[in-house]
Amino acid sequence: MDRLFLIHYGEIGLKGENREFFERKLQAGLQRALASWPGASVERRHGRLYVMNTPDPEQALSRLQRVFGVVAVSPAVRAPLDLEQIRAAARQLVSEAAAAAATGATAHATAEATARPLTFKVKARRTNKGFQPDSMGLQRLLGADLLASVPGLKVDVHEPALTLQVEIRESAYLYCRSLPGPGGLPLGSSGKALLLLSGGIDSPVAGWMAMRRGLEVECVHFYTPPFTGPRSVEKVEDLCRQLAAWCGRIRLHLARFTEVQQAIWEKVPEDLRVLVMRRFMMRVAGLLARQQEAPALVTGENLGQVASQTVESLTVIEAASPLIVLRPLLAWDKAEIVRKAQEIGTYEISIRPYEDCCTLFVPRHPRTRPTLSELEDAEASLPVDTLVQGCLEKVESSVLKPPVWI
Amino acid sequence: MEVYLDNAATTRVLPEVAEAMREAMLDKYGNPSSLHRLGLEAEKLTAAARGRLAAVLGCAPEEVIFTSGGTEANALAIRGAAWARHGEGRHLITTRTEHPSVLETCRMLQQEGWEVTYLEVDSTGTLDPAQLERALRPTTVLVSVHYVNNEVGAIQPITAIRGILGTGKRRPWLHVDAVQALGKLPVRVSDLGADLLSLSAHKIHGPKGVGALYARRGIRLRPLLAGGEQEFGLRAGTENVPGIVGFGLAAHLAEEARPLAAEHMRQLKVEMGARLLTEVPGCRINGPPPEQGAPHILNVRLPAIRGETMVHYLEERGVYVSTTSACASRRHPVSHVLVALGLGEEEAASSLRISLSRLTTREEIAFALTHIREGVAELGRIRMR
């Protein structure tokens, strides 16, 4: 009887001819999450993924729950195709689950609730038709067996508190719990993109959403010393570390933007400054992305959240980008973005009070209906290519890993 | 070149202080409460440090209580006195420009039913003793006033304040937060007339995490921490022996150097103030004129440049200054002290605190001046928001 984790994945199963490609990417993602445990292994067998030999089951579970492409993880028991051994495994697993339910109940509820029996059912699935009895027979047999051997159980086939799943394949797999993963597609299965990461709440969430759809993400952050200080860079690095908790490691490019900012300040009318600034960011990010062989940009832009996010503004900003601009949060409400940020652990970092270059340069009355020709006129007096190249040349890159406590 | 001019925030530990602490950690590491020889050695170290503090303050060693720093010393003085005397009255007096550890402790006591009067200061940050006289009530049990303001360097008239409190048995006690005064001004408690006085080690080239409260003999305080007889039953918990050793030595050295050091700092500060006023157009001094005020703190406001931007500009060139007191500067953009002095929000936001130590040199001041001047010229092109 082995302990292992059974990985459930969703859409990959629908990918037809490419299924193997996606499964291999998912396998790589799982291996990356377990990289600090040399003994741990990920097995791919008959369109299923199993994780074995993890030293710390609770920590393993939380790591596996952060692997993109994983719909759910089940801590499971594997038994040989032998009825006696399957029965023993079922008794073991259900006793453990009953004990856990009892401690949970005493912690939260009254003595009366504790005394109440634990409702359960057995659900069997037999893909290996060579095994007898069949699914129905196995359910009945194991159900009766558990009722007799584990105290405090009661059958309820409609709304059981506990469901013992039994899968009969080349071996028998039994499990009671399925914990949710992030879903989506395995990291890297959609290629690579460059995320424009500010210190705010939105952009890290946008990056996470892009990763969830299979994009490997690198980040670029524009900073403007001395208008921003070293703590605002540290904040962005911490955001990357938190994102790395989901993808293993992440590359951050720091682009010093002060010279561009100063040129804009001197030459561009106040109400267009933020738009020109965003257009410069697009240009620098676009070239940087090409250097990194990433064919897309990702931003945290959202329709209508601030003045520079009207359809007209997004149009003129995007016009400066040589690459497609992906905006995973386009149609989200702020409250939804905040909730997601809290869920993925970036919120507390984002609300640290250090300013980024955008907040310092927000005009009093920004334009909400700009046209491209206005922007081009405003930029006419700027040495655009020189400024972009100057910014690009000073980019410093580093690779960040998850915080030690994750 | 690295020029550290943020000595009111904290100071660099002197090598000899670090060495003495190292010895306390590696060799004489016993618990002063232990009966054996190692315990005795540690006890002797703390006793020697207490003696050094007593020598600086002109008091008896039993009147020195070691704490975890200035904040705890202030809390023990104020809460400890308020609780001890709550039967006699529940009114406290302090000023608007105290350190947050004093102000917040007073606010907590207000929530617990005490009344607190916050006295105004004038445009230099100085308290007029007549104001205090008017605020006194028969129920006032404690007056807490800092000696040197940590942001603008204003010196409060402590002896005049003490005079107003009288000599009666039920007079209010006087607590003096002298954290910024140690090593710069004389802190003999008999001259000041303080009943309680707070000190901190890390402002005088000692370690962080240790401070002291002087409590005059005859003062009963209620402790904040229970569970041990350490520090005369006023501060339970195993003594921070290395910290106390470092504090004792740092205080001794600071006091020994003080007469010359204070004059040295004052000269540099006055020179810097004068040159800033003449060389940087639009520059103004906040707080007392440089020749008055504490010798080590100079607070200036620059024309239309955010203090924060200047701090970052200067740090890129190896010069470290601050916008306002380090504890407050991250959360509250505008300093409560500068506002109390009558500055507007924009003026307060464009202010810088330059704070010296006795180790600051004339070359360092010249280096900093050059960069401040250049910074104003360069950053002035981009107007702040």
Side-chain angles (χ1 to χ4, degrees):
Chain A
M1 194 173 91
D2 302 332
R3 299 270 172 178
L4 44 73
F5 293 99
L6 212 155
I7 306 299
H8 305 268
Y9 43 89
E11 310 181 40
I12 307 176
L14 305 173
K15 294 288 175 192
E17 307 249 303
N18 287 330
R19 180 178 172 134
E20 170 138 348
F21 166 78
F22 284 96
E23 281 178 352
R24 282 188 189 284
K25 288 280 185 191
L26 180 56
Q27 186 175 14
L30 295 166
Q31 272 159 349
R32 202 164 35 234
L34 306 169
S36 66
W37 294 325
S41 62
V42 183
E43 236 179 69
R44 206 156 58 86
R45 191 187 293 175
H46 306 300
R48 258 291 163 90
L49 285 160
Y50 305 97
V51 171
M52 276 161 301
N53 304 321
T54 52
D56 176 345
E58 280 312 305
Q59 167 127 50
L61 195 55
S62 85
R63 289 193 194 181
L64 296 171
Q65 284 186 269
R66 284 197 299 264
V67 175
F68 295 111
V70 172
V71 169
V73 188
S74 299
V77 164
R78 173 160 63 187
L81 290 180
D82 169 83
L83 198 52
E84 268 323 299
Q85 299 211 43
I86 293 171
R87 290 164 85 150
R91 279 198 295 269
Q92 172 79 28
L93 206 54
V94 171
S95 318
E96 283 171 14
T103 41
T106 39
H108 298 296
T110 59
E112 188 200 343
T114 332
R116 209 177 287 155
L118 181 68
T119 56
F120 86 110
K121 75 169 178 183
V122 179
K123 192 162 174 6
R125 205 156 61 128
R126 190 183 55 140
T127 48
N128 179 350
K129 304 293 181 197
F131 183 78
Q132 286 299 330
D134 65 6
S135 304
M136 291 298 284
L138 197 58
Q139 283 171 201
R140 266 198 304 276
L141 190 134
L142 289 178
D145 193 35
L146 290 167
L147 211 50
S149 58
V150 182
L153 289 184
K154 187 187 159 198
V155 175
D156 179 348
V157 292
H158 302 294
E159 278 181 54
L162 182 74
T163 303
L164 173 68
Q165 306 267 3
V166 183
E167 294 186 8
I168 303 296
R169 293 166 175 263
E170 82 299 333
S171 301
Y173 295 89
L174 300 87
Y175 56 93
C176 297
R177 288 198 296 160
S178 286
L179 295 116
L185 298 173
L187 197 74
S189 63
S190 303
K192 191 159 137 182
L194 182 65
L195 168 72
L196 281 80
L197 183 66
S198 72
I201 295 170
D202 298 357
S203 52
V205 177
W208 188 89
M209 296 299 295
M211 288 197 272
R212 199 173 85 124
R213 290 311 294 172
L215 281 166
E216 184 193 335
V217 166
E218 294 192 8
C219 304
V220 58
H221 173 72
F222 295 92
Y223 69 116
T224 49
F227 301 97
T228 58
R231 280 193 178 83
S232 56
V233 170
E234 176 67 21
K235 176 181 177 181
V236 167
E237 287 174 348
D238 282 347
L239 285 170
C240 286
R241 292 186 182 101
Q242 186 60 34
L243 287 176
W246 296 89
C247 61
R249 40 188 256 148
I250 203 155
R251 187 178 292 276
L252 171 65
H253 307 278
L254 287 172
R256 188 185 153 101
F257 204 55
T258 312
E259 287 69 29
V260 179
Q261 195 83 275
Q262 274 170 341
I264 293 173
W265 195 264
E266 282 161 18
K267 298 278 168 59
V268 176
E270 178 175 321
D271 59 349
L272 293 176
R273 274 179 203 153
V274 168
L275 293 170
V276 172
M277 186 183 87
R278 301 285 302 163
R279 281 165 58 83
F280 269 94
M281 289 179 178
M282 289 293 164
R283 293 183 180 112
V284 175
L287 292 178
L288 185 62
R290 283 200 172 138
Q291 284 176 8
Q292 303 300 318
E293 297 177 350
L297 300 181
V298 177
T299 73
E301 285 164 324
N302 173 268
L303 194 57
Q305 195 186 93
V306 296
S308 62
Q309 296 179 350
T310 61
V311 169
E312 291 83 352
S313 298
L314 294 177
T315 305
V316 298
I317 292 168
E318 185 170 86
S321 170
L323 302 179
I324 183 174
V325 180
L326 305 174
R327 300 181 180 88
L329 306 184
L330 190 81
W332 288 34
D333 285 354
K334 190 72 186 186
E336 293 171 316
I337 301 174
V338 166
R339 213 155 37 234
K340 182 54 89 178
Q342 286 166 335
E343 225 177 277
I344 66 175
T346 55
Y347 182 74
E348 290 301 321
I349 304 168
S350 289
I351 60 171
R352 287 187 208 160
Y354 312 114
E355 297 178 287
D356 65 37
C357 51
C358 303
T359 50
L360 280 171
F361 284 79
V362 174
R364 277 158 242 263
H365 302 290
R367 289 292 303 278
T368 52
R369 304 263 178 273
T371 64
L372 192 52
S373 59
E374 273 181 297
L375 267 298
E376 284 164 354
D377 287 349
E379 289 169 5
S381 59
L382 291 171
V384 174
D385 290 344
T386 319
L387 287 170
V388 169
Q389 280 306 325
C391 183
L392 204 55
E393 274 161 23
K394 274 178 279 185
V395 168
E396 287 177 29
S397 307
S398 58
V399 173
L400 295 158
K401 294 189 177 142
V404 288
W405 58 86
I406 285 183
Chain B
M1 194 165 177
E2 187 172 297
V3 177
Y4 184 76
L5 295 175
D6 198 12
N7 291 283
T10 194
T11 55
R12 181 178 186 171
V13 174
L14 288 169
E16 55 266 49
V17 170
E19 188 45 49
M21 293 176 67
R22 188 187 129 87
E23 200 186 308
M25 285 188 270
L26 297 184
D27 302 333
K28 304 190 172 177
Y29 54 84
N31 184 329
S33 301
S34 294
L35 291 176
H36 47 65
R37 185 181 56 81
L38 278 175
L40 176 62
E41 278 178 357
E43 191 190 324
K44 281 178 162 172
L45 286 181
T46 58
R50 201 183 306 279
R52 283 180 149 165
L53 262 300
V56 171
L57 294 166
C59 69
E62 307 80 64
E63 294 173 308
V64 177
I65 304 148
F66 286 113
T67 66
S68 65
T71 293
E72 190 194 328
N74 285 339
L76 177 58
I78 297 168
R79 296 195 77 100
W83 280 335
R85 298 189 76 181
H86 77 282
E88 300 171 63
R90 291 188 154 214
H91 180 238
L92 318 175
I93 300 176
T94 186
T95 76
R96 292 217 173 277
T97 53
E98 297 300 316
H99 187 268
S101 60
V102 170
L103 292 175
E104 291 305 316
T105 301
C106 286
R107 287 202 185 108
M108 285 168 76
L109 284 169
Q110 278 179 291
Q111 285 165 11
E112 294 163 28
W114 269 267
E115 283 188 72
V116 181
T117 304
Y118 299 91
L119 300 174
E120 302 288 343
V121 294
D122 66 17
S123 63
T124 69
T126 316
L127 174 70
D128 175 4
Q131 271 220 58
L132 170 67
E133 203 161 6
R134 285 193 291 274
L136 278 176
R137 302 177 196 171
T139 54
T140 310
V141 293
L142 182 74
V143 173
S144 178
V145 177
H146 60 283
Y147 193 178
V148 169
N149 181 267
N150 63 320
E151 293 191 27
V152 298
I155 301 175
Q156 304 303 345
I158 300 296
T159 46
I161 289 167
R162 175 63 187 85
I164 289 165
L165 300 183
T167 53
K169 205 165 185 295
R170 299 196 51 187
R171 67 168 174 85
W173 291 343
L174 175 62
H175 167 238
V176 177
D177 172 358
V179 165
Q180 290 291 352
L182 184 59
K184 286 90 187 181
L185 301 176
V187 289
R188 295 191 72 82
V189 287
S190 54
D191 295 343
L192 293 170
D195 299 297
L196 299 155
L197 184 136
S198 304
L199 297 174
S200 172
H202 75 107
K203 312 287 192 190
I204 55 158
H205 302 285
K208 293 164 186 65
V210 60
L213 179 68
Y214 157 80
R216 184 175 52 78
R217 194 176 287 135
I219 292 258
R220 307 160 285 116
L221 293 175
R222 207 168 111 176
L224 302 177
L225 304 177
E229 283 306 305
Q230 294 92 346
E231 301 301 308
F232 320 107
L234 283 168
R235 208 279 179 179
T238 298
E239 296 86 343
N240 171 7
V241 179
I244 289 169
V245 166
F247 189 13
L249 181 54
H252 168 71
L253 295 172
E255 188 59 17
E256 202 176 51
R258 187 175 54 75
L260 288 175
E263 189 44 38
H264 168 71
M265 288 184 271
R266 184 179 305 282
Q267 277 180 16
L268 293 184
K269 178 190 143 182
V270 168
E271 195 176 306
M272 181 156 206
R275 285 189 60 187
L276 280 170
L277 287 177
T278 53
E279 294 170 25
V280 177
C283 175
R284 295 279 175 277
I285 305 279
N286 295 324
E291 56 282 1
Q292 296 168 24
H296 65 309
I297 298 177
L298 182 65
N299 197 309
V300 297
R301 107 187 155 247
L302 302 170
I305 294 168
R306 286 168 71 104
E308 220 179 302
T309 304
M310 198 54 159
V311 167
H312 297 319
Y313 175 89
L314 291 174
E315 80 174 310
E316 286 190 324
R317 287 148 186 86
V319 178
Y320 299 89
V321 299
S322 95
T323 47
T324 165
S325 73
C327 314
S329 58
R330 279 192 231 155
R331 288 274 166 198
H332 311 286
V334 175
S335 142
H336 71 283
V337 173
L338 297 181
V339 169
L341 263 59
L343 269 68
E345 213 166 287
E346 295 258 311
E347 293 173 313
S350 63
S351 293
L352 275 192
R353 180 185 67 185
I354 300 160
S355 49
L356 285 55
S357 118
R358 63 180 193 269
L359 306 181
T360 306
T361 64
R362 176 158 274 117
E363 291 69 42
E364 290 177 323
I365 292 292
F367 185 81
L369 259 168
T370 308
H371 286 296
I372 293 173
R373 220 172 36 220
E374 286 175 11
V376 170
E378 199 172 312
L379 300 170
R381 289 189 297 143
I382 295 187
R383 304 279 302 176
M384 83 166 186
R385 276 206 15 95

